[in-house]
Amino acid sequence: AFFDLNRLPLFDEFLLAALEYIDVFIKLKAVERRMEGMVSDMLGTGKLRTARKEKRNLESAAEEAKQKLALHYSGLLFPNVPDYHRFHHSGAGTWRTSRTNADQMLQEAIFRFTSAVVWIAMGRQEWNNVTTELGRLFRCSEFNISGRLVNKPSV
């Protein structure tokens, strides 16, 4: 299913959104590291004020890029294409059972492929930051079914 999915134009848009988000994320991390150095060195407040403004701008840009990435990711998982049933975990309602393992394998393939593409596009640097941040976005607790069952509140 991954090889069919990655040929869709939606996949290109998703990869571009991932690149844009990680680019902003890495710039934000660089500003945060620079600010830590400014605070510890007690540099002029003007430089620190400028860095704080830059950080706020990057945080805003990161939030917008994250929303765009989420939109494209959901569009990728639920594509509005004629062959949608080939990608959906229950065949878009045509099968009686869910393909949970196939879904998990597809999502892991998307994660690994996206991580590799973004890392290469970023000049093969920041591997840990790329995989950690994409993992945080793609594997968050809201989509961790077993984690939800363990932490299910009693009614």
Side-chain angles (χ1 to χ4, degrees):
F2 176 74
F3 293 107
D4 293 330
L5 191 62
N6 75 2
R7 291 187 178 112
L8 296 174
L10 292 168
F11 198 78
D12 295 339
E13 294 169 11
F14 164 74
L15 285 176
L16 183 58
L19 283 167
E20 290 172 1
Y21 174 74
I22 292 297
D23 182 52
V24 173
F25 174 79
I26 288 174
K27 288 176 183 174
L28 179 61
K29 289 295 174 193
V31 168
E32 288 173 350
R33 283 191 299 268
R34 196 172 72 228
M35 285 177 63
E36 287 174 5
M38 286 181 187
V39 171
S40 65
D41 292 341
M42 299 304 256
L43 291 177
T45 58
K47 289 182 181 179
L48 188 56
R49 199 173 308 131
T50 303
R52 284 182 180 149
K53 182 178 180 182
E54 184 180 2
K55 181 182 177 194
R56 282 192 302 273
N57 290 341
L58 285 170
E59 286 172 341
S60 175
E63 190 59 36
E64 288 178 23
K66 188 179 354 176
Q67 289 174 2
K68 182 178 177 182
L69 178 59
L71 178 68
H72 287 292
Y73 186 58
S74 64
L76 192 63
L77 295 180
F78 304 104
N80 186 17
V81 294
D83 293 342
Y84 171 59
H85 67 278
R86 291 189 314 162
F87 309 116
H88 193 269
H89 67 95
S90 66
T94 59
W95 303 319
R96 291 188 177 265
T97 59
S98 177
R99 299 181 316 165
T100 305
N101 289 338
D103 277 353
Q104 183 178 6
M105 288 174 41
L106 176 62
Q107 289 172 1
E108 284 299 312
I110 290 170
F111 169 75
R112 289 182 182 143
F113 185 82
T114 303
S115 297
V117 167
V118 169
W119 177 65
I120 290 169
M122 294 293 168
R124 297 179 185 258
Q125 297 179 6
E126 305 280 350
W127 173 253
N128 287 336
N129 281 336
V130 168
T131 56
T132 301
E133 184 61 12
L134 288 176
R136 187 184 69 79
L137 294 174
F138 294 145
R139 296 175 173 158
C140 63
S141 60
E142 286 81 9
F143 293 101
N144 182 357
I145 294 172
S146 60
R148 283 193 308 216
L149 293 175
V150 170
N151 299 322
K152 185 177 178 182
S154 58
V155 182

